[in-house]
Amino acid sequence: MTRIKGHTLIATPCCHAQYSTPQYGSINFSALAYWTDGSKEHSLMSGGGGLRKCKCGEFYRLQDTIKFGFDAQPDTPPTAHVNAADLPEATLSSNKAIELVARRLYWQHLNDAYRELYRAHREAEDKASQSKWEAEWQRANPDTRTVWTKLIDRLLRRKPVAAPPMPNKPFTVPPYQPSQLQIGNMNRLLELLLEGGNETYGPNPLEVTELYRELGRFDEAKTALQACKEDDIGVTSKLLAKMIDDRATAPVRYRM
């Protein structure tokens, strides 16, 4: 469970405006569902990479703020998260560390329109395939109970035999056709990641792999995936490997 135990006073690096920011006693990063581009659904911890907007109009990262080491007063304003409408401006920052975080968020935001198509497609396909499976199963296993048996079952509230879970559900996704804006943003994000020095822990091989894959650069995606450390190998890396083999570019939803 994510638990807040207080609020710390900080000052921005741009104009030294003071804000309060949560001090976490515990953090839970789990979510209901994950996407290969790093987006999460119903996450227990808000993302954003620590990107914030100051009242003076400048963008900053929480990790770059001045920490006073004591609690904020109750009337201290909280930090302001960056709205989607502000992301294009944030990507123009002369600070590459800020630009990188902004372009990552913009990448995920621009994929949100596809996510809506994806959800609708998956829901329709699951519903249609389930209906077809149940109809075929009923034809192959007709209800042979007598009228008397059906009456007894109804009185005893016994349900008729239903079709078992559907094996080998079909799985398709709608075509993914990124715009020139999306392509340009992904290419620039890749540059910033591979350049190094723009974030504390360096590029994440899984993120680099996904960017190459969504851009249709499958050979480079495969090479990037091979650079994953043993700790990075798991559900996500195996899914990416399959998508690369299938020459698929679409972001995909999955569960851990």
Side-chain angles (χ1 to χ4, degrees):
M1 177 183 294
T2 297
R3 181 174 59 86
I4 296 174
K5 64 178 183 179
H7 290 80
T8 302
L9 184 68
I10 62 170
T12 61
C14 44
C15 69
H16 294 177
Q18 294 184 4
Y19 294 99
S20 69
T21 186
Q23 184 179 3
Y24 294 99
S26 60
I27 299 177
N28 189 330
F29 291 101
S30 62
L32 181 64
Y34 301 81
W35 290 80
T36 49
D37 65 359
S39 181
K40 298 179 182 179
E41 294 184 4
H42 304 290
S43 175
L44 296 176
M45 178 65 184
S46 60
L51 186 65
R52 299 291 187 270
K53 187 174 184 179
C54 184
K55 62 182 181 181
C56 72
E58 293 292 324
F59 298 94
Y60 65 95
R61 299 184 307 165
L62 287 177
Q63 65 192 84
D64 299 325
T65 57
I66 302 166
K67 283 78 173 178
F68 292 104
F70 49 81
D71 294 343
Q73 293 299 312
D75 59 347
T76 307
T79 59
H81 287 259
V82 178
N83 297 321
D86 291 326
L87 287 175
E89 180 185 355
T91 64
L92 301 178
S93 174
S94 59
N95 184 320
K96 288 185 177 180
I98 291 175
E99 182 190 358
L100 188 154
V101 177
R103 288 195 178 277
R104 176 182 289 134
L105 294 174
Y106 200 32
W107 169 36
Q108 295 171 355
H109 169 67
L110 292 173
N111 274 340
D112 283 347
Y114 177 79
R115 279 184 247 281
E116 292 301 318
L117 294 175
Y118 181 103
R119 293 186 187 99
H121 178 94
R122 293 294 326 125
E123 183 178 353
E125 182 173 65
D126 284 346
K127 185 176 180 179
S129 59
Q130 184 65 30
S131 295
K132 181 181 178 183
W133 159 250
E134 290 177 357
E136 291 177 347
W137 188 89
Q138 291 294 346
R139 283 196 295 270
N141 302 272
D143 189 350
T144 58
R145 292 176 302 162
T146 64
V147 174
W148 176 250
T149 303
K150 290 180 181 179
L151 177 60
I152 296 298
D153 287 345
R154 189 177 301 113
L155 291 173
L156 295 177
R157 297 183 178 180
R158 289 191 300 221
K159 296 181 179 180
V161 179
M166 181 182 179
N168 304 319
K169 283 188 176 181
F171 182 88
T172 63
V173 299
Y176 178 64
Q177 299 174 323
S179 65
Q180 288 302 312
L181 176 61
Q182 288 175 280
I183 292 171
N185 185 66
M186 285 190 282
N187 278 320
R188 176 57 179 162
L189 177 55
L190 258 176
E191 289 178 11
L192 292 168
L193 289 169
L194 297 177
E195 184 178 270
N198 297 321
E199 54 185 348
T200 304
Y201 299 107
N204 179 348
L206 293 176
E207 184 176 44
V208 172
T209 299
E210 177 65 5
L211 284 163
Y212 277 134
R213 187 183 70 82
E214 289 188 23
L215 288 166
R217 297 161 64 175
F218 297 110
D219 291 340
E220 291 161 291
K222 184 174 291 187
T223 299
L225 189 60
Q226 291 171 347
C228 284
K229 297 179 181 178
E230 186 175 347
D231 291 344
D232 293 325
I233 297 175
V235 174
T236 306
S237 63
K238 291 176 182 177
L239 175 59
L240 290 178
K242 182 181 186 307
M243 300 301 287
I244 292 170
D245 288 341
D246 292 344
R247 314 291 283 184
T249 60
V252 174
R253 181 178 58 184
Y254 64 101
R255 296 183 188 276
M256 287 294 194

